[in-house]
Structure formats: structure tokens, C-alpha cells
Amino acid sequence: MRILIVFFLAPLSLLAVSGCASFNKQKDLKSIESFPVCYSYGCKTIQTVTLHKEQWLIIESLFLPTATTPKQERKQISLAIAQMETFIGDITQTKNDLPGTFAALFHNLVDQMDCVDEATNTTVYLKLFRQRGFINFHKEGHRINRGLFFNGWPHTSAVMTDTQTGAAFAVDSWFHKNGIGPEIIPTKLWYSGWHPAPKGADLLPPKESSL
């Protein structure tokens, strides 16, 4: 993506393979009490972050009352990830992260996140929720990829599995600016090249999934 900024008038063929940083750059970020957050496109910067007790209590409150169905829990997860992004944005100075990738073309990428950053961080947040007992119906998995000339730009997302049914869901926070709930949709739909309608989406609070 940095190539795009310097050579904005380069052929579209170059743009097509640069929607996000390399899919091959998998970061094994273990989520513990102090946990890593990455940004600056392709996890160029990794910062260790610690939330204080009061912040964790706020996150926990978003999972109360305890979900009785996977659908209800997915709604809670969306709200909790949005709140995590708000807390983390203040700590890492990424609170002005813009939606998608191309919106940041003319911005300094140091405080921005591409889909690799977003997917990596969301996976860490999901693992933290599970470790702390906030979620019971879902488990995080390895991030998923799509694109490379088929079904749109190259793109990657976090994923979680419904532990009751085995159904997999993309948890994609890349579509929206910092602090907006991720899109949680079946992976089959996500792989098709699905993209949310852009009409004022980033001005709204995290939406409740209908899934």
C-alpha cells in the first residue's frame, strides 16, 4: 500500500494486488494480561497494551446478561470489539483509523490499520473474550483470505466458529473506522466478495447482526 501512495498513478494491476498487506504475513500474537496490538499496515508496528480493571469491567458489562444463544452472543461481540477499539485507539494513537484501505491513501500510515492489522487484532480480542469467560458459544480461528483477482480486492478477516453448530463467521472490522462494530457474517457470504453498503455506515453505532 505504501507503493500506492508514492506511485498513485501506477497501473491498476498494481493496485489490485495491494488492497492489504501480504496475506503471508501471519503474526502469532498471544493474548495474555498484557497483549499485543499491531498497526501501521501489515503489522509493521506492534505495541504491547494493558487495559486497567475499570476498562475490563466496561467490556464485561457488554456481555451481560450472559447470552443464551450464539446469535445473542454475536451481537455482544460486535459491541465489545467496538469498545476495545475505542480503548486501544486512545492508547496506540490509532483512534483516527479510517475505514477500509483506500481512504488512507493520502494519510500517514503510522496510525492507520489495513485488513491484516484489523484481522490480527480482532483475533486477539476474541481470544481475550474467551479466556476471560465472556463468550461461551464461539471460538476464534485463523484469519481467512479472499480476492487475488476473484471476488474483489485481496482481503483478510478474523474468523470465529459457533461451537454448537460448527458454523464459521467472518468478524471483519476493516470496513469501518475505529470504534465501529465489525461486520459479523457467515464466511460463505464473506468469501463471495460481500461488502456493506457505505451509506453513512461509519456514522452509526455498531449494528446488531441479524444472524
Side-chain angles (χ1 to χ4, degrees):
M1 183 55 63
R2 289 184 290 277
I3 294 176
L4 285 175
I5 296 172
V6 179
F7 301 106
F8 182 67
L9 298 180
L12 287 178
S13 59
L14 177 62
L15 183 64
V17 296
S18 303
C20 289
S22 171
F23 286 162
N24 295 324
K25 195 171 184 179
Q26 292 277 358
K27 294 288 185 177
D28 182 18
L29 301 186
K30 297 180 180 179
S31 54
I32 51 179
E33 192 66 26
S34 293
F35 56 94
V37 172
C38 72
Y39 50 97
S40 301
Y41 276 44
C43 287
K44 180 179 179 180
T45 301
I46 300 177
Q47 180 175 341
T48 299
V49 171
T50 302
L51 298 185
H52 56 67
K53 181 179 179 180
E54 290 74 15
Q55 290 173 315
W56 278 119
L57 287 174
I58 291 173
I59 296 296
E60 184 177 14
S61 71
L62 298 174
F63 290 97
L64 298 176
T66 302
T68 57
T69 66
K71 178 181 178 180
Q72 184 181 1
E73 188 170 88
R74 288 192 286 275
K75 295 178 181 180
Q76 294 175 333
I77 288 171
S78 179
L79 293 171
I81 289 176
Q83 186 61 65
M84 287 288 286
E85 287 190 0
T86 299
F87 287 151
I88 300 303
D90 287 334
I91 297 170
T92 61
Q93 302 304 307
T94 56
K95 60 184 177 182
N96 295 318
D97 176 49
L98 297 170
T101 293
F102 305 121
L105 282 176
F106 298 105
H107 290 259
N108 188 332
L109 299 183
V110 69
D111 64 348
Q112 297 294 304
M113 297 184 186
D114 69 354
C115 62
V116 173
D117 301 321
E118 297 277 10
T120 302
N121 295 335
T122 297
T123 301
V124 170
Y125 302 158
L126 290 170
K127 186 173 184 178
L128 283 166
F129 297 162
R130 180 174 58 81
Q131 289 177 333
R132 288 175 170 268
F134 298 163
I135 61 177
N136 301 293
F137 294 105
H138 298 88
K139 186 179 187 301
E140 75 286 349
H142 296 292
R143 70 180 196 230
I144 53 177
N145 305 314
R146 76 182 188 196
L148 292 178
F149 305 109
F150 298 99
N151 298 327
W153 302 112
H155 186 42
T156 189
S157 173
V159 68
M160 64 183 183
T161 302
D162 183 324
T163 56
Q164 288 192 329
T165 66
F169 293 85
V171 186
D172 199 334
S173 55
W174 172 81
F175 292 115
H176 306 300
K177 67 183 181 181
N178 185 72
I180 300 295
E183 301 287 343
I184 301 179
I185 62 172
T187 53
K188 183 177 180 179
L189 177 59
W190 185 88
Y191 278 124
S192 73
W194 181 90
H195 194 289
K199 298 179 181 179
D202 291 332
L203 300 178
L204 301 175
K207 72 175 186 179
E208 293 189 355
S209 170
S210 60
L211 301 170

mmCIF file of all heavy atoms in Angstrom, residues 129-170:
data_model
loop_
_atom_site.group_PDB
_atom_site.id
_atom_site.type_symbol
_atom_site.label_atom_id
_atom_site.label_comp_id
_atom_site.label_asym_id
_atom_site.label_seq_id
_atom_site.Cartn_x
_atom_site.Cartn_y
_atom_site.Cartn_z
ATOM 1 N N PHE A 129 -11.624 -12.388 25.029
ATOM 2 C CA PHE A 129 -13.006 -12.564 25.499
ATOM 3 C C PHE A 129 -13.233 -14.004 25.960
ATOM 4 O O PHE A 129 -13.873 -14.236 26.991
ATOM 5 C CB PHE A 129 -13.997 -12.221 24.388
ATOM 6 C CG PHE A 129 -13.959 -10.789 23.908
ATOM 7 C CD1 PHE A 129 -14.518 -10.446 22.682
ATOM 8 C CD2 PHE A 129 -13.383 -9.796 24.680
ATOM 9 C CE1 PHE A 129 -14.498 -9.136 22.230
ATOM 10 C CE2 PHE A 129 -13.356 -8.468 24.238
ATOM 11 C CZ PHE A 129 -13.905 -8.145 23.007
ATOM 12 N N ARG A 130 -12.710 -14.938 25.184
ATOM 13 C CA ARG A 130 -12.900 -16.349 25.528
ATOM 14 C C ARG A 130 -12.123 -16.698 26.803
ATOM 15 O O ARG A 130 -12.637 -17.386 27.691
ATOM 16 C CB ARG A 130 -12.456 -17.234 24.369
ATOM 17 C CG ARG A 130 -12.621 -18.729 24.636
ATOM 18 C CD ARG A 130 -12.311 -19.556 23.398
ATOM 19 N NE ARG A 130 -10.964 -19.318 22.897
ATOM 20 C CZ ARG A 130 -9.866 -19.875 23.396
ATOM 21 N NH1 ARG A 130 -9.942 -20.698 24.432
ATOM 22 N NH2 ARG A 130 -8.676 -19.620 22.874
ATOM 23 N N GLN A 131 -10.881 -16.230 26.900
ATOM 24 C CA GLN A 131 -10.060 -16.531 28.073
ATOM 25 C C GLN A 131 -10.667 -15.975 29.354
ATOM 26 O O GLN A 131 -10.536 -16.562 30.426
ATOM 27 C CB GLN A 131 -8.655 -15.961 27.879
ATOM 28 C CG GLN A 131 -7.819 -16.698 26.842
ATOM 29 C CD GLN A 131 -6.458 -16.042 26.635
ATOM 30 O OE1 GLN A 131 -6.306 -14.840 26.839
ATOM 31 N NE2 GLN A 131 -5.479 -16.837 26.234
ATOM 32 N N ARG A 132 -11.323 -14.831 29.248
ATOM 33 C CA ARG A 132 -11.923 -14.196 30.420
ATOM 34 C C ARG A 132 -13.337 -14.709 30.703
ATOM 35 O O ARG A 132 -13.990 -14.237 31.637
ATOM 36 C CB ARG A 132 -11.925 -12.674 30.247
ATOM 37 C CG ARG A 132 -10.539 -12.071 30.376
ATOM 38 C CD ARG A 132 -10.513 -10.577 30.096
ATOM 39 N NE ARG A 132 -9.215 -10.030 30.474
ATOM 40 C CZ ARG A 132 -8.917 -9.521 31.670
ATOM 41 N NH1 ARG A 132 -9.850 -9.483 32.610
ATOM 42 N NH2 ARG A 132 -7.719 -9.054 31.933
ATOM 43 N N GLY A 133 -13.798 -15.648 29.903
ATOM 44 C CA GLY A 133 -15.111 -16.237 30.145
ATOM 45 C C GLY A 133 -16.272 -15.385 29.698
ATOM 46 O O GLY A 133 -17.421 -15.624 30.100
ATOM 47 N N PHE A 134 -16.013 -14.383 28.850
ATOM 48 C CA PHE A 134 -17.080 -13.517 28.382
ATOM 49 C C PHE A 134 -17.946 -14.203 27.325
ATOM 50 O O PHE A 134 -19.128 -13.878 27.185
ATOM 51 C CB PHE A 134 -16.520 -12.224 27.792
ATOM 52 C CG PHE A 134 -15.751 -11.372 28.765
ATOM 53 C CD1 PHE A 134 -14.901 -10.365 28.310
ATOM 54 C CD2 PHE A 134 -15.874 -11.556 30.137
ATOM 55 C CE1 PHE A 134 -14.189 -9.570 29.198
ATOM 56 C CE2 PHE A 134 -15.163 -10.768 31.037
ATOM 57 C CZ PHE A 134 -14.318 -9.771 30.562
ATOM 58 N N ILE A 135 -17.344 -15.089 26.535
ATOM 59 C CA ILE A 135 -18.086 -15.770 25.474
ATOM 60 C C ILE A 135 -18.030 -17.281 25.687
ATOM 61 O O ILE A 135 -17.029 -17.816 26.164
ATOM 62 C CB ILE A 135 -17.570 -15.396 24.066
ATOM 63 C CG1 ILE A 135 -16.104 -15.782 23.878
ATOM 64 C CG2 ILE A 135 -17.760 -13.904 23.812
ATOM 65 C CD1 ILE A 135 -15.569 -15.496 22.473
ATOM 66 N N ASN A 136 -19.107 -17.935 25.312
ATOM 67 C CA ASN A 136 -19.228 -19.375 25.527
ATOM 68 C C ASN A 136 -19.619 -20.136 24.267
ATOM 69 O O ASN A 136 -19.450 -21.358 24.218
ATOM 70 C CB ASN A 136 -20.279 -19.652 26.610
ATOM 71 C CG ASN A 136 -19.936 -18.993 27.937
ATOM 72 O OD1 ASN A 136 -18.966 -19.366 28.585
ATOM 73 N ND2 ASN A 136 -20.731 -18.005 28.333
ATOM 74 N N PHE A 137 -20.141 -19.425 23.266
ATOM 75 C CA PHE A 137 -20.658 -20.085 22.069
ATOM 76 C C PHE A 137 -19.732 -19.972 20.859
ATOM 77 O O PHE A 137 -20.042 -20.505 19.805
ATOM 78 C CB PHE A 137 -22.025 -19.499 21.689
ATOM 79 C CG PHE A 137 -23.114 -19.769 22.694
ATOM 80 C CD1 PHE A 137 -23.556 -18.762 23.535
ATOM 81 C CD2 PHE A 137 -23.685 -21.027 22.799
ATOM 82 C CE1 PHE A 137 -24.567 -18.997 24.462
ATOM 83 C CE2 PHE A 137 -24.694 -21.275 23.717
ATOM 84 C CZ PHE A 137 -25.133 -20.261 24.552
ATOM 85 N N HIS A 138 -18.615 -19.278 21.003
ATOM 86 C CA HIS A 138 -17.732 -19.047 19.862
ATOM 87 C C HIS A 138 -16.266 -19.207 20.247
ATOM 88 O O HIS A 138 -15.887 -18.968 21.394
ATOM 89 C CB HIS A 138 -17.948 -17.643 19.272
ATOM 90 C CG HIS A 138 -19.327 -17.431 18.751
ATOM 91 N ND1 HIS A 138 -20.359 -16.967 19.539
ATOM 92 C CD2 HIS A 138 -19.845 -17.607 17.501
ATOM 93 C CE1 HIS A 138 -21.463 -16.878 18.807
ATOM 94 N NE2 HIS A 138 -21.178 -17.256 17.582
ATOM 95 N N LYS A 139 -15.475 -19.580 19.249
ATOM 96 C CA LYS A 139 -14.032 -19.686 19.429
ATOM 97 C C LYS A 139 -13.332 -19.086 18.210
ATOM 98 O O LYS A 139 -13.730 -19.327 17.070
ATOM 99 C CB LYS A 139 -13.600 -21.142 19.597
ATOM 100 C CG LYS A 139 -12.121 -21.316 19.933
ATOM 101 C CD LYS A 139 -11.769 -22.780 20.116
ATOM 102 C CE LYS A 139 -10.329 -22.955 20.625
ATOM 103 N NZ LYS A 139 -9.324 -22.368 19.701
ATOM 104 N N GLU A 140 -12.302 -18.299 18.461
ATOM 105 C CA GLU A 140 -11.548 -17.656 17.382
ATOM 106 C C GLU A 140 -10.785 -18.688 16.564
ATOM 107 O O GLU A 140 -10.435 -19.764 17.060
ATOM 108 C CB GLU A 140 -10.579 -16.617 17.954
ATOM 109 C CG GLU A 140 -9.342 -17.177 18.622
ATOM 110 C CD GLU A 140 -9.580 -17.802 19.988
ATOM 111 O OE1 GLU A 140 -10.699 -17.628 20.554
ATOM 112 O OE2 GLU A 140 -8.662 -18.473 20.501
ATOM 113 N N GLY A 141 -10.521 -18.359 15.307
ATOM 114 C CA GLY A 141 -9.746 -19.239 14.437
ATOM 115 C C GLY A 141 -8.677 -18.452 13.704
ATOM 116 O O GLY A 141 -8.467 -17.264 13.976
ATOM 117 N N HIS A 142 -8.001 -19.116 12.772
ATOM 118 C CA HIS A 142 -7.003 -18.435 11.964
ATOM 119 C C HIS A 142 -7.700 -17.539 10.945
ATOM 120 O O HIS A 142 -8.753 -17.892 10.407
ATOM 121 C CB HIS A 142 -6.114 -19.449 11.244
ATOM 122 C CG HIS A 142 -5.305 -20.294 12.179
ATOM 123 N ND1 HIS A 142 -4.276 -19.788 12.946
ATOM 124 C CD2 HIS A 142 -5.384 -21.617 12.492
ATOM 125 C CE1 HIS A 142 -3.747 -20.746 13.675
ATOM 126 N NE2 HIS A 142 -4.400 -21.871 13.421
ATOM 127 N N ARG A 143 -7.128 -16.393 10.678
ATOM 128 C CA ARG A 143 -7.773 -15.449 9.775
ATOM 129 C C ARG A 143 -7.922 -16.043 8.367
ATOM 130 O O ARG A 143 -7.174 -16.934 7.968
ATOM 131 C CB ARG A 143 -7.011 -14.123 9.740
ATOM 132 C CG ARG A 143 -5.666 -14.172 9.060
ATOM 133 C CD ARG A 143 -5.028 -12.786 9.095
ATOM 134 N NE ARG A 143 -3.939 -12.726 8.143
ATOM 135 C CZ ARG A 143 -2.728 -12.285 8.418
ATOM 136 N NH1 ARG A 143 -2.436 -11.873 9.635
ATOM 137 N NH2 ARG A 143 -1.798 -12.242 7.485
ATOM 138 N N ILE A 144 -8.891 -15.536 7.651
ATOM 139 C CA ILE A 144 -9.223 -16.049 6.329
ATOM 140 C C ILE A 144 -8.931 -14.995 5.269
ATOM 141 O O ILE A 144 -8.916 -13.792 5.551
ATOM 142 C CB ILE A 144 -10.701 -16.483 6.252
ATOM 143 C CG1 ILE A 144 -11.629 -15.337 6.725
ATOM 144 C CG2 ILE A 144 -10.921 -17.733 7.102
ATOM 145 C CD1 ILE A 144 -13.103 -15.663 6.616
ATOM 146 N N ASN A 145 -8.702 -15.456 4.030
ATOM 147 C CA ASN A 145 -8.331 -14.569 2.927
ATOM 148 C C ASN A 145 -9.260 -14.760 1.737
ATOM 149 O O ASN A 145 -9.793 -15.846 1.513
ATOM 150 C CB ASN A 145 -6.895 -14.861 2.469
ATOM 151 C CG ASN A 145 -5.899 -14.773 3.599
ATOM 152 O OD1 ASN A 145 -5.916 -13.835 4.385
ATOM 153 N ND2 ASN A 145 -5.024 -15.764 3.693
ATOM 154 N N ARG A 146 -9.422 -13.705 0.964
ATOM 155 C CA ARG A 146 -10.182 -13.774 -0.283
ATOM 156 C C ARG A 146 -9.563 -12.793 -1.276
ATOM 157 O O ARG A 146 -8.727 -11.969 -0.920
ATOM 158 C CB ARG A 146 -11.647 -13.425 -0.060
ATOM 159 C CG ARG A 146 -11.924 -11.935 0.129
ATOM 160 C CD ARG A 146 -13.383 -11.632 0.392
ATOM 161 N NE ARG A 146 -13.631 -10.192 0.369
ATOM 162 C CZ ARG A 146 -14.711 -9.598 0.850
ATOM 163 N NH1 ARG A 146 -15.659 -10.347 1.421
ATOM 164 N NH2 ARG A 146 -14.868 -8.285 0.778
ATOM 165 N N GLY A 147 -10.003 -12.892 -2.512
ATOM 166 C CA GLY A 147 -9.557 -11.935 -3.516
ATOM 167 C C GLY A 147 -8.523 -12.504 -4.449
ATOM 168 O O GLY A 147 -8.662 -13.615 -4.939
ATOM 169 N N LEU A 148 -7.460 -11.706 -4.703
ATOM 170 C CA LEU A 148 -6.442 -12.051 -5.690
ATOM 171 C C LEU A 148 -7.091 -12.233 -7.062
ATOM 172 O O LEU A 148 -7.021 -13.296 -7.668
ATOM 173 C CB LEU A 148 -5.662 -13.298 -5.268
ATOM 174 C CG LEU A 148 -4.767 -13.127 -4.038
ATOM 175 C CD1 LEU A 148 -4.078 -14.431 -3.684
ATOM 176 C CD2 LEU A 148 -3.747 -12.031 -4.241
ATOM 177 N N PHE A 149 -7.772 -11.164 -7.523
ATOM 178 C CA PHE A 149 -8.409 -11.069 -8.831
ATOM 179 C C PHE A 149 -9.788 -11.723 -8.877
ATOM 180 O O PHE A 149 -10.485 -11.616 -9.872
ATOM 181 C CB PHE A 149 -7.526 -11.663 -9.944
ATOM 182 C CG PHE A 149 -6.162 -11.047 -9.995
ATOM 183 C CD1 PHE A 149 -5.047 -11.775 -9.604
ATOM 184 C CD2 PHE A 149 -5.993 -9.732 -10.393
ATOM 185 C CE1 PHE A 149 -3.782 -11.201 -9.640
ATOM 186 C CE2 PHE A 149 -4.736 -9.152 -10.432
ATOM 187 C CZ PHE A 149 -3.629 -9.886 -10.057
ATOM 188 N N PHE A 150 -10.203 -12.432 -7.820
ATOM 189 C CA PHE A 150 -11.528 -13.021 -7.792
ATOM 190 C C PHE A 150 -12.302 -12.431 -6.618
ATOM 191 O O PHE A 150 -11.779 -12.287 -5.525
ATOM 192 C CB PHE A 150 -11.454 -14.549 -7.651
ATOM 193 C CG PHE A 150 -10.753 -15.212 -8.806
ATOM 194 C CD1 PHE A 150 -9.425 -15.591 -8.690
ATOM 195 C CD2 PHE A 150 -11.416 -15.430 -9.997
ATOM 196 C CE1 PHE A 150 -8.774 -16.206 -9.748
ATOM 197 C CE2 PHE A 150 -10.778 -16.037 -11.069
ATOM 198 C CZ PHE A 150 -9.449 -16.428 -10.944
ATOM 199 N N ASN A 151 -13.572 -12.089 -6.850
ATOM 200 C CA ASN A 151 -14.443 -11.564 -5.798
ATOM 201 C C ASN A 151 -13.878 -10.310 -5.129
ATOM 202 O O ASN A 151 -13.959 -10.147 -3.918
ATOM 203 C CB ASN A 151 -14.707 -12.639 -4.737
ATOM 204 C CG ASN A 151 -15.422 -13.838 -5.302
ATOM 205 O OD1 ASN A 151 -16.245 -13.704 -6.216
ATOM 206 N ND2 ASN A 151 -15.107 -15.008 -4.792
ATOM 207 N N GLY A 152 -13.295 -9.417 -5.946
ATOM 208 C CA GLY A 152 -12.864 -8.132 -5.411
ATOM 209 C C GLY A 152 -11.391 -8.074 -5.042
ATOM 210 O O GLY A 152 -10.603 -8.931 -5.403
ATOM 211 N N TRP A 153 -11.041 -7.017 -4.289
ATOM 212 C CA TRP A 153 -9.655 -6.792 -3.887
ATOM 213 C C TRP A 153 -9.181 -7.884 -2.939
ATOM 214 O O TRP A 153 -9.973 -8.488 -2.212
ATOM 215 C CB TRP A 153 -9.528 -5.445 -3.171
ATOM 216 C CG TRP A 153 -9.953 -4.262 -3.952
ATOM 217 C CD1 TRP A 153 -11.037 -3.469 -3.711
ATOM 218 C CD2 TRP A 153 -9.316 -3.696 -5.106
ATOM 219 N NE1 TRP A 153 -11.115 -2.459 -4.638
ATOM 220 C CE2 TRP A 153 -10.077 -2.576 -5.508
ATOM 221 C CE3 TRP A 153 -8.176 -4.041 -5.842
ATOM 222 C CZ2 TRP A 153 -9.729 -1.789 -6.602
ATOM 223 C CZ3 TRP A 153 -7.840 -3.252 -6.939
ATOM 224 C CH2 TRP A 153 -8.601 -2.140 -7.297
ATOM 225 N N PRO A 154 -7.874 -8.130 -2.881
ATOM 226 C CA PRO A 154 -7.331 -9.038 -1.860
ATOM 227 C C PRO A 154 -7.725 -8.540 -0.467
ATOM 228 O O PRO A 154 -7.624 -7.348 -0.173
ATOM 229 C CB PRO A 154 -5.827 -8.951 -2.085
ATOM 230 C CG PRO A 154 -5.680 -8.546 -3.514
ATOM 231 C CD PRO A 154 -6.826 -7.619 -3.776
ATOM 232 N N HIS A 155 -8.180 -9.432 0.368
ATOM 233 C CA HIS A 155 -8.709 -9.017 1.668
ATOM 234 C C HIS A 155 -8.591 -10.161 2.661
ATOM 235 O O HIS A 155 -8.576 -11.332 2.278
ATOM 236 C CB HIS A 155 -10.175 -8.596 1.503
ATOM 237 C CG HIS A 155 -10.790 -8.020 2.736
ATOM 238 N ND1 HIS A 155 -10.119 -7.137 3.560
ATOM 239 C CD2 HIS A 155 -12.003 -8.213 3.315
ATOM 240 C CE1 HIS A 155 -10.906 -6.801 4.569
ATOM 241 N NE2 HIS A 155 -12.056 -7.448 4.449
ATOM 242 N N THR A 156 -8.489 -9.817 3.944
ATOM 243 C CA THR A 156 -8.391 -10.823 5.005
ATOM 244 C C THR A 156 -9.258 -10.416 6.179
ATOM 245 O O THR A 156 -9.557 -9.229 6.356
ATOM 246 C CB THR A 156 -6.920 -11.000 5.439
ATOM 247 O OG1 THR A 156 -6.820 -12.121 6.308
ATOM 248 C CG2 THR A 156 -6.391 -9.762 6.142
ATOM 249 N N SER A 157 -9.673 -11.378 6.962
ATOM 250 C CA SER A 157 -10.578 -11.105 8.080
ATOM 251 C C SER A 157 -10.316 -12.076 9.218
ATOM 252 O O SER A 157 -9.837 -13.199 9.009
ATOM 253 C CB SER A 157 -12.042 -11.245 7.627
ATOM 254 O OG SER A 157 -12.947 -11.143 8.724
ATOM 255 N N ALA A 158 -10.685 -11.648 10.422
ATOM 256 C CA ALA A 158 -10.724 -12.568 11.551
ATOM 257 C C ALA A 158 -11.917 -13.501 11.347
ATOM 258 O O ALA A 158 -12.853 -13.186 10.600
ATOM 259 C CB ALA A 158 -10.877 -11.799 12.859
ATOM 260 N N VAL A 159 -11.876 -14.648 12.027
ATOM 261 C CA VAL A 159 -12.970 -15.613 11.899
ATOM 262 C C VAL A 159 -13.211 -16.271 13.249
ATOM 263 O O VAL A 159 -12.288 -16.408 14.064
ATOM 264 C CB VAL A 159 -12.649 -16.671 10.816
ATOM 265 C CG1 VAL A 159 -11.494 -17.562 11.262
ATOM 266 C CG2 VAL A 159 -13.870 -17.503 10.478
ATOM 267 N N MET A 160 -14.453 -16.637 13.512
ATOM 268 C CA MET A 160 -14.773 -17.407 14.715
ATOM 269 C C MET A 160 -15.786 -18.469 14.337
ATOM 270 O O MET A 160 -16.523 -18.339 13.355
ATOM 271 C CB MET A 160 -15.322 -16.502 15.822
ATOM 272 C CG MET A 160 -16.634 -15.828 15.511
ATOM 273 S SD MET A 160 -17.125 -14.715 16.862
ATOM 274 C CE MET A 160 -18.727 -14.141 16.244
ATOM 275 N N THR A 161 -15.817 -19.529 15.138
ATOM 276 C CA THR A 161 -16.694 -20.663 14.872
ATOM 277 C C THR A 161 -17.712 -20.814 15.990
ATOM 278 O O THR A 161 -17.379 -20.685 17.175
ATOM 279 C CB THR A 161 -15.876 -21.960 14.753
ATOM 280 O OG1 THR A 161 -14.918 -21.806 13.701
ATOM 281 C CG2 THR A 161 -16.773 -23.141 14.446
ATOM 282 N N ASP A 162 -18.965 -21.033 15.593
ATOM 283 C CA ASP A 162 -20.018 -21.364 16.537
ATOM 284 C C ASP A 162 -19.715 -22.760 17.074
ATOM 285 O O ASP A 162 -19.708 -23.735 16.321
ATOM 286 C CB ASP A 162 -21.363 -21.329 15.800
ATOM 287 C CG ASP A 162 -22.556 -21.601 16.725
ATOM 288 O OD1 ASP A 162 -22.417 -22.422 17.650
ATOM 289 O OD2 ASP A 162 -23.626 -21.019 16.490
ATOM 290 N N THR A 163 -19.445 -22.872 18.367
ATOM 291 C CA THR A 163 -19.018 -24.149 18.932
ATOM 292 C C THR A 163 -20.154 -25.161 19.025
ATOM 293 O O THR A 163 -19.909 -26.351 19.258
ATOM 294 C CB THR A 163 -18.413 -23.949 20.330
ATOM 295 O OG1 THR A 163 -19.373 -23.277 21.173
ATOM 296 C CG2 THR A 163 -17.149 -23.112 20.255
ATOM 297 N N GLN A 164 -21.392 -24.709 18.839
ATOM 298 C CA GLN A 164 -22.528 -25.631 18.859
ATOM 299 C C GLN A 164 -22.786 -26.243 17.495
ATOM 300 O O GLN A 164 -23.044 -27.439 17.375
ATOM 301 C CB GLN A 164 -23.786 -24.912 19.350
ATOM 302 C CG GLN A 164 -23.792 -24.579 20.831
ATOM 303 C CD GLN A 164 -25.164 -24.136 21.302
ATOM 304 O OE1 GLN A 164 -25.934 -23.541 20.562
ATOM 305 N NE2 GLN A 164 -25.467 -24.426 22.569
ATOM 306 N N THR A 165 -22.732 -25.407 16.459
ATOM 307 C CA THR A 165 -23.101 -25.862 15.117
ATOM 308 C C THR A 165 -21.904 -26.052 14.194
ATOM 309 O O THR A 165 -22.031 -26.687 13.148
ATOM 310 C CB THR A 165 -24.058 -24.860 14.459
ATOM 311 O OG1 THR A 165 -23.354 -23.618 14.233
ATOM 312 C CG2 THR A 165 -25.263 -24.601 15.356
ATOM 313 N N GLY A 166 -20.762 -25.466 14.547
ATOM 314 C CA GLY A 166 -19.595 -25.516 13.677
ATOM 315 C C GLY A 166 -19.616 -24.468 12.590
ATOM 316 O O GLY A 166 -18.683 -24.386 11.780
ATOM 317 N N ALA A 167 -20.662 -23.648 12.548
ATOM 318 C CA ALA A 167 -20.759 -22.589 11.535
ATOM 319 C C ALA A 167 -19.668 -21.548 11.759
ATOM 320 O O ALA A 167 -19.399 -21.150 12.899
ATOM 321 C CB ALA A 167 -22.134 -21.931 11.587
ATOM 322 N N ALA A 168 -19.036 -21.111 10.669
ATOM 323 C CA ALA A 168 -17.950 -20.134 10.754
ATOM 324 C C ALA A 168 -18.440 -18.750 10.348
ATOM 325 O O ALA A 168 -19.223 -18.617 9.394
ATOM 326 C CB ALA A 168 -16.785 -20.566 9.876
ATOM 327 N N PHE A 169 -17.961 -17.731 11.044
ATOM 328 C CA PHE A 169 -18.355 -16.352 10.780
ATOM 329 C C PHE A 169 -17.122 -15.462 10.639
ATOM 330 O O PHE A 169 -16.214 -15.508 11.472
ATOM 331 C CB PHE A 169 -19.215 -15.811 11.929
ATOM 332 C CG PHE A 169 -20.553 -16.478 12.062
ATOM 333 C CD1 PHE A 169 -20.676 -17.664 12.783
ATOM 334 C CD2 PHE A 169 -21.681 -15.945 11.467
ATOM 335 C CE1 PHE A 169 -21.896 -18.301 12.902
ATOM 336 C CE2 PHE A 169 -22.908 -16.559 11.583
ATOM 337 C CZ PHE A 169 -23.025 -17.744 12.297
ATOM 338 N N ALA A 170 -17.109 -14.678 9.582
ATOM 339 C CA ALA A 170 -16.084 -13.641 9.459
ATOM 340 C C ALA A 170 -16.420 -12.533 10.445
ATOM 341 O O ALA A 170 -17.592 -12.160 10.608
ATOM 342 C CB ALA A 170 -16.059 -13.094 8.033
#
